Amino acid sequence: MDDLQYGARDKRGNWTPGTPLHVAPFWEGRWSRMGHFVVEYLWPWNAFHMTVTLAYWFLIIQPNLAEFSTWSWKWVAILYAINAGGIFVMYGSIELFYYVKRIQGTRFKYNARFPAENPSDVFWFKSQNLDNFLRSFFVSIPIWTLIQVIFFWCHANGYHAFAWLGWEQHWLWLVVLTLLVPAIHEIHFFCGHWLIHQGALYKHVHSVHHNSINPSPWSSMSMHPVESAIFFSEMLWHLLIPSNPVVALFQLNSTAYGAINGHIGFEKLEFDGEAGDKAMNSHAYAHYLHHKYFEVNYGGEGLVPLDKWFGTWHDGSKDADEQMKARFRAKKERLKAKQSKATPAE
């Protein structure tokens, strides 16, 4: 595909989309876009996460649910192996074809450089790829697995703030709740993400993730343990919301497997080369801008437009750049004024 039909490339080779980002169309009254929005809401990413969820449930969890009533490190080990294997295959495939073999070159790539080309002391072994890989498999995936096992221990023992719901009696609410899973994620992610951008939490926790200014698939779960715990804890909302374990598992899997979306680094992933026309949208740009500018787009793509409501939305346009710079200048002035008040006059 010719990426210049969809955007522009600067002198450094960095590609940007030709159209700015938009929040979900129903917030802006763009009703003609609703059909397209619904299709992309369901396919392919959420359909993939639901497929993975049903495989987990029917092949692994449900046949062994009684065993979760007693804490067992055996199930921690089993689920860790399954989670790690799934991430290795999914993330690793995109890493292999688009970052190692580079079958697409830099077409649709926001940052023309690849992480392997930029060794840095901020990473373990001076390698972003190795650092991100190790943090994913030895920090984040173990924490994901522990939360998963704790949740199913609660379910197997009947612990819930209200009640577990069955599909036969409560199918309509559970279908609605399933469709709301991405919205729950955006709210949880925005709040937790904004929190770890504050003061000491950023310095000692979230800065680990932001070392990857030019993110790639392995950056998706490269986190400090505190951030990983906050990130994956959104599954636990289903201990407070009247829910079903399948919906909760969909929440967790769409968080874990879906973390890659904001870190793919390409607007589109081509399937049939430069001459073809088959490609999949990554939905990566909003979060790429966050990695680039740090204090914008704390949430998702605007399904629940908290960034827009709180003034931190960046749609990739020059106008958004100017608004961001004005906000940064105002913040700097407030800090100067605060410091001058704190400094006694001579």
Side-chain angles (χ1 to χ4, degrees):
M1 299 178 74
D2 181 4
D3 60 355
L4 296 182
Q5 292 184 8
Y6 299 85
R9 188 175 289 110
D10 64 19
K11 292 179 181 180
R12 296 182 178 180
N14 301 328
W15 185 90
T16 55
T19 56
L21 293 167
H22 285 280
V23 299
F26 49 80
W27 294 111
E28 298 179 325
R30 296 182 298 118
W31 304 113
S32 62
R33 298 292 298 169
M34 280 301 296
H36 178 78
F37 168 79
V38 169
V39 171
E40 289 225 324
Y41 189 75
L42 299 174
W43 181 265
W45 294 105
N46 280 323
F48 169 79
H49 300 322
M50 180 53 75
T51 300
V52 171
T53 296
L54 294 176
Y56 268 70
W57 178 252
F58 286 111
L59 299 178
I60 303 158
I61 304 297
Q62 189 184 48
N64 301 286
L65 194 55
E67 293 191 33
F68 285 92
S69 62
T70 303
W71 181 265
S72 171
W73 287 103
K74 178 188 81 171
W75 277 104
V76 174
I78 290 171
L79 285 174
Y80 172 81
I82 293 167
N83 294 338
I87 292 300
F88 184 82
V89 170
M90 182 189 181
Y91 287 24
S93 296
I94 296 174
E95 181 79 27
L96 174 63
F97 289 109
Y98 295 93
Y99 280 82
V100 178
K101 292 189 174 183
R102 302 182 187 180
I103 62 171
Q104 189 171 311
T106 58
R107 292 189 299 279
F108 296 103
K109 192 170 190 303
Y110 307 128
N111 188 319
R113 305 200 70 176
F114 288 83
E117 298 168 354
N118 296 284
S120 171
D121 289 334
V122 302
F123 299 113
W124 290 345
F125 309 106
K126 296 186 178 181
S127 167
Q128 178 176 325
N129 288 335
L130 188 54
D131 174 283
N132 292 176
F133 180 90
L134 292 173
R135 289 185 186 276
S136 296
F137 283 85
F138 296 104
V139 177
S140 291
I141 297 177
I143 291 172
W144 159 20
T145 304
L146 284 171
I147 289 173
Q148 193 175 30
V149 174
I150 290 169
F151 179 89
F152 285 113
W153 177 84
C154 291
H155 176 260
N157 286 284
Y159 297 132
H160 194 285
F162 296 100
W164 296 107
L165 303 182
W167 286 94
E168 290 185 4
Q169 298 84 7
H170 303 281
W171 66 270
L172 181 58
W173 163 246
L174 291 175
V175 168
V176 170
L177 185 59
T178 300
L179 292 173
L180 288 175
V181 158
I184 294 170
H185 169 73
E186 286 210 4
I187 295 169
H188 178 94
F189 182 61
F190 177 92
C191 295
H193 194 187
W194 179 88
L195 177 66
I196 58 177
H197 263 267
Q198 309 309 308
L201 281 175
Y202 181 82
K203 181 179 180 181
H204 299 293
V205 174
H206 193 45
S207 61
V208 170
H209 185 69
H210 267 289
N211 285 336
S212 302
I213 297 171
N214 180 18
S216 70
W218 294 131
S219 306
S220 308
M221 288 194 202
S222 176
M223 304 175 190
H224 185 280
V226 171
E227 179 174 1
S228 294
I230 293 171
F231 184 66
F232 290 112
S233 67
E234 75 178 56
M235 184 191 201
L236 303 181
W237 285 111
H238 292 268
L239 294 173
L240 302 175
I241 304 168
S243 187
N244 179 279
V246 175
V247 183
L249 188 58
F250 177 53
Q251 186 84 58
L252 183 63
N253 282 343
S254 59
T255 299
Y257 288 91
I260 195 172
N261 286 96
H263 304 88
I264 285 177
F266 292 83
E267 178 78 0
K268 295 178 182 288
L269 296 179
E270 297 175 353
F271 296 142
D272 53 358
E274 187 174 8
D277 60 357
K278 295 179 180 178
M280 179 171 63
N281 290 331
S282 69
H283 299 276
Y285 194 48
H287 195 66
Y288 169 78
L289 290 173
H290 175 77
H291 275 264
K292 183 177 181 180
Y293 296 125
F294 289 81
E295 294 184 26
V296 300
N297 298 356
Y298 293 109
E301 287 191 291
L303 176 62
V304 182
L306 292 167
D307 279 296
K308 197 154 191 174
W309 295 341
F310 287 97
T312 53
W313 176 246
H314 196 306
D315 62 9
S317 66
K318 290 182 179 179
D319 285 344
D321 270 344
E322 292 306 314
Q323 292 170 13
M324 176 187 69
K325 290 173 184 176
R327 183 161 55 87
F328 289 170
R329 286 194 295 269
K331 180 181 178 181
K332 189 175 181 179
E333 290 301 318
R334 287 196 301 271
L335 288 173
K336 280 185 179 179
K338 187 176 180 181
Q339 288 171 357
S340 64
K341 288 181 181 179
T343 303
E346 294 183 1

